[in-house]
């Protein structure tokens, strides 16, 4: 994304332009503009350096232009940590459709699970003065990251992921309940040794889904065994590797729940490589129930999380927050539903398969 907005192209800073000062200091025009507005999104040392350089060149703040920025732009910025996973393209489509119907334009930024990149991307989006931010925080994001956004006067809504206790609106799925549903299904089939593939503690979805896994085991009186949890990103290749590690245990499980459907797809490939048939030799439950889940052979049993619905709910929260910035914080959590297909069955003893 070009970091220079049309309005910035010829904005004078006394004797220099934003672009000239940016080139001289080795910074983006977005960073220069934020620093001149004393935004907390820019590190203090950088703000002081920019402001001192601007003063030295005779910069005088244009209060008339600043006043123009208080008007609504009908832009909503969407900051996602990933768009490769089809669940996020589904989320993006739902958010965009809902906001377009409300007369808003959506600008997208992607952090790729990098907090520093997230700060740069959201800082650039902030230059367009959106009326609201919808954010799915990158791994290891903190409350301060979101408060820096809110300090610019722009409404903030969290979607699918959250920073617990931040005080910002949230729309997503009840992940704890969702994974517990998957575990309960496996227990009802007779499984007692159940693994979990994917997820990690640096993201709220990882923490919640692990909590759901533990709660499902506890409800059935099954002790939690940490050796059956294979942490990692929710990717196909990771799911395949994690499944191989489960099968290499001295006492492999007979079933597993997965952090998401991509992990499950990788695990399905791993089962095939090990000569095992999902739904006959080993049971597997995915999470999200993206469209691809029912197209696999065998069809993947998964937990449907109502992605489009909570995407529309997030858009609605943003619109309500724009209209009434002082309204009480609101949470919308969709209740997931188990969709049983063909990858689960009663337990069959699994022989160890060394790596």
């Amino acid at each position: 994304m070009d970091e220079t907005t049309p309005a910035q192209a010829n904005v004078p800073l006394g004797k220099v332009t934003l672009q000239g000062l940016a080139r001289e200091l080795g910074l983006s025009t977005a960073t220069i503009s934020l620093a001149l507005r004393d935004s907390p999104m820019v590190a203090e040392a950088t703000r002081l350096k920019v402001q001192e350089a601007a003063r030295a060149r005779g910069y005088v703040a244009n209060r008339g232009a600043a006043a123009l920025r208080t008007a609504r732009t009908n832009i909503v910025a969407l900051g996602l940590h990933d768009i490769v996973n089809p669940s996020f393209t589904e989320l993006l489509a739902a958010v965009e459709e809902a906001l377009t119907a409300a007369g808003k334009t959506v600008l997208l930024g992607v952090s790729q699970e990098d907090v520093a990149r997230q700060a740069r991307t959201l800082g650039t989006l902030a230059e367009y003065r959106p009326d609201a931010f919808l954010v799915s925080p990158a791994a290891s994001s903190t409350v301060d990251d979101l408060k820096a956004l809110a300090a610019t006067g722009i409404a903030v809504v969290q979607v699918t992921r959250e920073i617990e206790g931040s005080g910002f609106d949230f729309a997503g799925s009840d992940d704890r309940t969702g994974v517990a549903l998957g575990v309960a299904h496996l227990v009802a089939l007779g499984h007692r040794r159940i693994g979990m593939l994917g997820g990690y503690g640096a993201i709220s979805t990882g923490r919640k889904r692990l909590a759901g896994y533990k709660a499902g085991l506890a409800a059935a009186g099954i002790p939690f065994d940490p050796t059956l949890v294979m942490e990692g990103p929710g990717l196909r290749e990771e799911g395949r590797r994690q499944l191989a590690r489960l099968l290499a245990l001295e006492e492999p499980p007979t079933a597993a729940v997965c952090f998401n459907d991509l992990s499950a797809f990788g695990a399905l490939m791993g089962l095939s490589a090990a000569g095992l048939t999902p739904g006959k030799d080993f049971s597997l439950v995915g999470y999200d129930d993206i469209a691809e889940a029912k197209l696999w052979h065998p069809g993947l049993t998964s937990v449907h999380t109502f992605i489009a619905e909570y995407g529309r709910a997030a858009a609605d929260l943003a619109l309500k927050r724009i209209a009434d910035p002082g309204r009480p914080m609101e949470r919308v959590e969709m209740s997931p539903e188990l969709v049983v297909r063909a990858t689960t069955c009663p337990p069959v003893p699994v022989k160890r398969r060394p790596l």
Side-chain angles (χ1 to χ4, degrees), residues 258-279:
C258 299
F259 172 74
N260 61 17
D261 285 341
L262 294 191
S263 294
F265 298 153
L268 289 173
M269 292 186 281
L271 288 171
S272 178
L276 298 173
T277 301

Side-chain angles (χ1 to χ4, degrees), residues 174-187 191-199 205-231 246 249 252-259 285 287 303:
D174 182 352
D175 287 332
R176 189 180 188 277
T177 295
V179 174
L181 282 175
V183 173
H185 170 61
L186 294 172
V187 169
H191 295 275
R192 301 288 296 177
R193 193 157 172 79
I194 302 167
M196 180 168 183
L197 303 179
T205 47
R207 295 188 291 272
K208 292 177 183 179
R209 293 176 198 181
L210 179 60
Y213 168 72
K214 291 179 177 179
L217 295 177
I222 301 173
F224 171 66
D225 181 350
T227 66
L228 295 179
V229 176
M230 300 294 163
E231 291 192 342
L246 273 186
L249 294 173
T254 58
V257 293
C258 299
F259 172 74
V285 177
Y287 196 85
V303 176

Side-chain angles (χ1 to χ4, degrees), residues 131-341:
D131 299 330
F133 272 108
L134 293 177
V135 182
S136 178
S140 300
S141 294
T142 67
V143 172
D144 288 342
D145 296 318
L146 293 188
K147 286 185 175 178
L149 283 179
T152 66
I154 301 171
V156 176
V157 175
Q158 302 172 101
V159 60
T160 197
R161 289 182 182 179
E162 65 175 322
I163 299 172
E164 297 96 329
S166 64
F168 294 103
D169 297 328
F170 169 75
S173 178
D174 182 352
D175 287 332
R176 189 180 188 277
T177 295
V179 174
L181 282 175
V183 173
H185 170 61
L186 294 172
V187 169
L189 289 170
H191 295 275
R192 301 288 296 177
R193 193 157 172 79
I194 302 167
M196 180 168 183
L197 303 179
Y200 52 104
I203 54 178
S204 64
T205 47
R207 295 188 291 272
K208 292 177 183 179
R209 293 176 198 181
L210 179 60
Y213 168 72
K214 291 179 177 179
L217 295 177
I222 301 173
F224 171 66
D225 181 350
T227 66
L228 295 179
V229 176
M230 300 294 163
E231 291 192 342
L235 303 171
R236 295 172 196 260
E237 56 269 30
E238 287 292 328
R240 180 169 177 154
R241 282 194 287 265
Q242 291 158 3
L243 188 278
R245 294 206 301 273
L246 273 186
L247 296 181
L249 294 173
E250 287 296 330
E251 186 184 351
T254 58
V257 293
C258 299
F259 172 74
N260 61 17
D261 285 341
L262 294 191
S263 294
F265 298 153
L268 289 173
M269 292 186 281
L271 288 171
S272 178
L276 298 173
T277 301
K280 291 185 178 179
D281 303 315
F282 192 94
S283 289
L284 206 62
V285 177
Y287 196 85
D288 279 333
D289 191 35
I290 61 176
E292 188 180 343
K294 62 184 177 184
L295 301 179
W296 275 74
H297 183 73
L300 177 66
T301 293
S302 188
V303 176
H304 189 81
T305 57
F306 297 94
I307 296 166
E309 287 82 355
Y310 70 66
R312 289 190 287 269
D316 184 60
L317 286 175
L319 294 172
K320 290 193 288 188
R321 182 63 59 189
I322 292 167
D324 182 7
R327 68 190 301 271
M329 187 269 285
E330 185 175 351
R331 295 179 59 83
V332 177
E333 283 189 295
M334 299 294 169
S335 297
E337 295 180 1
L338 181 72
V339 179
V340 179
R341 296 193 179 97

Side-chain angles (χ1 to χ4, degrees), residues 57-140:
R57 287 152 186 77
Y59 167 66
V60 177
N62 185 338
R63 298 302 176 188
L68 290 176
R69 288 197 296 268
T70 63
R72 289 182 183 168
T73 60
N74 288 323
I75 291 172
V76 173
L78 176 60
L80 296 177
H81 62 277
D82 173 35
I83 55 171
V84 174
N85 186 332
S87 67
F88 295 109
T89 55
E90 184 178 349
L91 173 65
L92 171 59
V95 168
E96 197 277 337
E97 181 181 17
L99 290 174
T100 296
K104 304 294 184 183
T105 297
V106 177
L107 298 184
L108 173 67
V110 184
S111 70
Q112 302 288 17
E113 294 289 27
D114 183 326
V115 174
R117 176 171 172 166
Q118 175 177 262
R120 291 193 302 272
T121 300
L122 296 181
T124 299
L125 291 175
E127 276 300 294
Y128 292 80
R129 300 303 300 167
D131 299 330
F133 272 108
L134 293 177
V135 182
S136 178
S140 300

